[in-house]
Amino acid sequence: AVVSTQSGHYGRGAWSSKDRFQYIKLSRSNLRVHYNGLGKNHKDAASVRATHPIPAACGIYYFEVRIVSKGRDGYMGIGLADGKVNMNRLPGWEPHSYGYHGDDGHSFCSSGNGQPYGPTFTTGDVIGCCVNLINMSVFYTKNGVKLGTAFENIPLNLYPTVGLQSPGEIADANFGDKPFVFDIEGYMLEWKTKLQEQIASHPTRCLQSNDMDATLKKLVFDYLVHHGYCRSAESFAKSTNMYFFEDISSIQSRQRLQKLVLQGKIGDAITTTNELFPNLLDNNPNLEFKIRIRHFIEMINDLDQNKRPSHPYSIASLMNGSEGAAEESDKMEVDSVPSEVPTGTMATESEQEDPHSNRQALEHLLLFGRELAGYSANLTSSYDSLKTQLQEAFSLLAYKDPKQSPMSYLLHPSQREQLCADLNSAILESHGLARQPPLENAISQTKNVIERMLKVGFGSGAYCGLEKYLNCSLKPQ
């Protein structure tokens, strides 16, 4: 079935081998339905539900059924039912079920009394069923032609259902594994466009137009300043006639640190942070330990092929040999991170550039790792997440070539971005500024609202994803 969700993925389905009446036989990966009953009267009707209900977070759902054979009488029904409806009935006859029947073209809504709806259908016809969870309605198609609204105000959590009643009836389902006869993509685009137009035209009652314009400009400006885009912020302020009152030197300092972190020069970033913002790391022990862990990972990253050991080091070997750290860990238990986190013997990139030998480079790496291990042994359970990060970093040494290991993602430059953001936020917070720019807060709030909409079954949320409007990432580059 086509499932239009916020992520834009498509669902797949099949008929349930367990949720069916005994006269129903399934074949072809549970997509073909056969009637194997006597077919004497309506008491011999048999139906089958799909394996899963239509997702509550779905915007538009569609499936098609091809009539392979109408059998003796063509008493066939295609529609929807909830999980408790009796499968010894055609869809639409029971409460909480809906169906379009081929023998008379009537629609049935929770009743045995049908209403004229569309043409009859028979062998060779393809009948589609579209569930619109934006306006909570259902319509059918015949051979690619839309027939009009059949049901309104439908409930959530219905299952696609097909019912048969006379010998020889066979039907194949298409839940999206192959192209549909009806242009469902075009229909979905119509609704996407309609909702986006509604959003764009929605009045902002709390603000006058001038206030809204100023607010939007301030959101963009604060975002640029927050992430250290100094030149862009200056240019934006000038072009919008805004007063540029920020401390340029502070912005440039943060930008300088971000570049060091994103380049993987963590040792230099630590030194520069201590020079530009004294006591920042001392006052943020969690952040400092994260930086040291990243420093250890970058030290591994910097080892080229001719510097790697001929055999992998185990995590256990990393823990051994740190006698001083082990002794200290037996003596004390701390409730907070000590002010002095191990700096390692390779604190700056200048010391890493020209090691005297392969052995020296490896010894530097292992010594720093042992210092971190000894230090982490003194941390209480409140720092378990940091301990886990350290263990993941250590696991890189269990492989001869860490860059080809299952943990190689830790070495990817993208892993530096979060640390970069954390360091930038800590600096801003130390100056009494917000850790996160208002624009990002607004986007996070909007995403949470959309997620909530989808969770409670507002189908329109499927077409309100911010990615459709932004077409960009708001992560610092």
Side-chain angles (χ1 to χ4, degrees), residues 197-345:
E197 289 174 350
Q198 290 178 4
I199 293 171
S201 62
H202 188 77
T204 52
R205 300 173 182 175
C206 61
L207 293 173
Q208 299 296 326
S209 59
N210 291 339
D211 294 335
M212 174 61 74
D213 183 63
T215 298
L216 293 176
K217 290 177 180 177
K218 187 67 165 58
L219 286 173
V220 174
F221 177 75
D222 288 346
Y223 174 81
L224 296 173
V225 170
H226 180 95
H227 289 298
Y229 303 136
C230 188
R231 292 181 181 178
S232 297
E234 286 184 288
S235 178
F236 182 80
K238 183 177 179 180
S239 64
T240 56
N241 297 317
M242 295 180 66
Y243 176 66
F244 191 93
F245 54 85
E246 303 295 330
D247 183 355
I248 295 180
S249 63
S250 177
I251 298 176
Q252 291 175 335
S253 295
R254 289 189 289 110
Q255 191 176 49
R256 177 182 171 190
L257 283 173
Q258 290 182 64
K259 287 182 178 180
L260 289 173
V261 173
L262 293 176
Q263 290 172 356
K265 299 178 180 179
I266 308 301
D268 289 343
I270 294 172
T271 300
T272 304
T273 299
N274 290 329
E275 290 175 355
L276 297 175
F277 305 100
N279 301 320
L280 176 72
L281 296 182
D282 290 341
N283 294 332
N284 292 272
N286 268 17
L287 175 62
E288 183 173 15
F289 195 42
K290 286 180 183 178
I291 293 176
R292 301 298 180 186
I293 294 172
R294 189 66 216 177
H295 187 191
F296 179 79
I297 293 173
E298 295 298 344
M299 290 168 68
I300 297 175
N301 214 5
D302 287 340
L303 289 177
D304 56 30
Q305 292 291 340
N306 64 354
K307 291 181 182 177
R308 292 200 187 101
S310 58
H311 60 86
Y313 283 82
S314 67
I315 297 177
S317 70
L318 185 63
M319 300 301 186
N320 296 330
S322 182
E323 299 177 358
E327 293 175 358
E328 288 299 317
S329 65
D330 291 336
K331 294 179 182 179
M332 70 176 186
E333 180 177 341
V334 295
D335 294 324
S336 61
V337 182
S339 59
E340 294 185 0
V341 183
T343 60
T345 56

Side-chain angles (χ1 to χ4, degrees), residues 62-65 78 100 117 119 121 125-130 138-148 180-184 187:
Y62 184 77
F63 70 99
E64 289 182 342
V65 175
I78 298 167
Y100 170 34
Y117 171 66
F121 53 86
D125 288 329
V126 176
I127 304 301
C129 178
C130 182
V138 175
F139 71 82
Y140 289 89
T141 66
K142 179 181 178 181
N143 300 326
V145 178
K146 183 179 177 182
L147 300 180
F180 292 112
V181 176
F182 176 67
D183 181 18
I184 188 62
Y187 178 77

Side-chain angles (χ1 to χ4, degrees), residues 368-390:
F368 184 33
R370 287 168 183 159
E371 289 175 354
L372 289 174
Y375 171 77
S376 68
N378 299 321
L379 301 179
T380 60
S381 59
S382 60
Y383 295 93
D384 283 349
S385 62
L386 288 176
K387 292 181 179 180
T388 299
Q389 290 181 35
L390 184 60

